[in-house]
Amino acid sequence: SWAMGFALAAIGMVAGLVIFLCGNRHFQHTAGVNRQALCARRFLLPNWGWLLVLLVTAPLLIAVLFWQEWSVYALIVATAIGLAVLARIYLRAETDKQRKDLRLIVVLTAFSLLFGSANSIAGVVVLLALLVLRQADFGIKTSHGLLSIAGIFGILIVGPRLTNMVNPVAAFGINIVCILLLMILGCHNVIMSNHSTYVLSYLLLQGYDVSGHAYVIRIIGLLVGMGICMAVFYKDQRNRRYRRTFADLFREFDLHSTRSRWYVRLTLLVSTALLIMSLLKLPRAMWAGIACMSVCVPFSQDIKNRAKLRAPFNIVGSLIFLVMYTLLPEWMYPYIGIIGGIGVGYSAGYAWQTVFNTFGALSIATNLFGLGAAVALRIGMNVFGAVYTVVFDKIVSGIASVSNRQKALEV
């Protein structure tokens, strides 16, 4: 509707104004309008003349197109112009990083168009993997890293679907195997926090499960995404030299090492959280799993610090969503999730990322469970995940401490 269009335009303008005000310090060195560029003549009229022509004719053209019901043709023309502008921007990009970012946008858009909205979460998974693989390697030979990518995507294709086909106890066993393999294959470099990509992807695909023809399409989409990830990874990481091989990822798994113990702790933590939620027959079990995964970092003190932020700021995010959902008109509900996505993008800290992540999750859940139930479920799952992670870590640390003392006495 026209009302929706104007509302979105208003949101965009406010966002642009906020961005400009926040970044105004970067423009203080400018001296105003570039008069030379504005008055330059390239074809018939100076640049300011063409700007004036566009300002006058664009609204008239749009009005005629809708009046004559030529909006389909307008969409085709607009798409062609958009592609031409995108190509021009790509060719004129000043750095290789800008070109890579544009390629990522094109890949994700094409993915969603080709494989449908039901599998848009698979497009998110591919994008997350691409963003990680551009920067992080696996600490092994680049050619062997391709095997790790194949293994990770194989698990993402098979594991989440299997867990939705069996009873909770059998799913618990599958989760243990799949999550532990994801940790071994992709999380060797603890500092990079790759578990927040690969395990998160596993949980998202599990929570937004599809079956039948949609699952076949998902398999095709993930295989295509795997090929793209392999190509990007090899191009960006091929000059790195390692002696370690794919097999070394498994040879170096040792329960006496801090890294391997973290693998096992996170695997058991997330898997048991999912099992508890499933046995209680609570929906959106993945929320508890994601909360546990997010809080469970390698060191106990960091776990406590994250837990202190995860639960309170999820409550804050849920309350803000509740207020927005109550005050905003119904036609704006779908755009609350978009606002949350923008907020996550501009949040540098874990706390406010947690707040804005709540918007997207609740936007979907509210349609399924209603506002009150969705908010209560979101808060409950995240509070449980944060508290359960701290308690689980204390129990595991206590067991490890007793075991170490016994070994010391034996020696």
Side-chain angles (χ1 to χ4, degrees), residues 321-342:
F321 178 88
L322 184 64
V323 172
M324 293 175 68
Y325 200 89
T326 303
L327 297 179
L328 292 175
E330 185 176 350
W331 58 266
M332 285 198 68
Y333 292 167
Y335 301 97
I336 298 178
I338 297 175
I339 295 171
I342 295 171

Side-chain angles (χ1 to χ4, degrees), residues 16-32:
L17 180 61
V18 171
I19 292 169
F20 175 77
L21 292 175
C22 292
N24 188 43
R25 64 185 184 278
H26 299 297
F27 303 101
Q28 291 178 354
H29 65 282
T30 58

Side-chain angles (χ1 to χ4, degrees), residues 81-107 235:
I81 293 173
L83 291 173
V85 171
L86 187 62
R88 184 180 178 87
I89 294 172
Y90 180 84
L91 293 173
R92 292 193 172 191
E94 296 179 356
T95 65
D96 188 53
K97 182 181 182 301
Q98 292 175 349
R99 294 188 182 92
K100 288 179 180 178
D101 291 340
L102 287 170
R103 287 199 293 267
L104 288 177
I105 294 171
V106 172
V107 167
K235 179 180 179 297

